Amino acid sequence: MPNLALELGKQSASLGVNSVYGEQQDVDGVRLIPVALSWSGFGAGEDESGNNGGGGGGFAVPLGAYIRKGDDLRFEPNLVSLVAVAIPFVWVAGRTLSRIIGALKR
């Protein structure tokens, strides 16, 4: 009987930047190196009667790519991801600041 936790661990090795963007690419002397934020979780178990099961999930956000041209290296952000992350952050920061200001006024 295979150990489900070990099998899930082996499969999780393929998650990350490669699952979001793929491998780095060389195009006309320019190297593109993808950057992403990813996280995942997995679990497995077995009961007394020998039934077993497991599962997991993950999430990845493409942040952008490093672009290397000769000796020049620069980061190009993914603007769609930046906006998707910035909107909730600005909302939470604004709500927090309004509560702090409201508490200080009392």
Side-chain angles (χ1 to χ4, degrees):
M1 180 179 318
N3 187 333
L4 288 177
L6 291 176
E7 292 297 320
L8 289 171
K10 289 177 188 174
Q11 291 178 5
S12 71
S14 66
L15 297 175
V17 175
N18 291 338
S19 66
V20 177
Y21 275 126
E23 297 289 332
Q24 66 182 10
Q25 301 290 320
D26 291 318
V27 179
D28 295 331
V30 177
R31 175 166 285 183
L32 304 171
I33 305 165
V35 178
L37 175 67
S38 67
W39 58 95
S40 59
F42 296 92
E46 183 176 343
D47 63 9
E48 299 83 29
S49 62
N51 296 324
N52 53 25
F59 188 77
V61 177
L63 298 177
Y66 282 106
I67 299 175
R68 172 173 244 148
K69 188 180 215 180
D71 290 337
D72 184 37
L73 178 67
R74 61 188 163 86
F75 179 74
E76 288 288 330
N78 180 335
L79 296 179
V80 173
S81 293
L82 182 64
V83 169
V85 170
I87 290 172
F89 176 75
V90 169
W91 183 83
V92 169
R95 183 131 170 110
T96 302
L97 284 174
S98 69
R99 288 186 177 213
I100 290 172
I101 291 169
L104 291 174
K105 284 185 177 180
R106 292 185 203 173

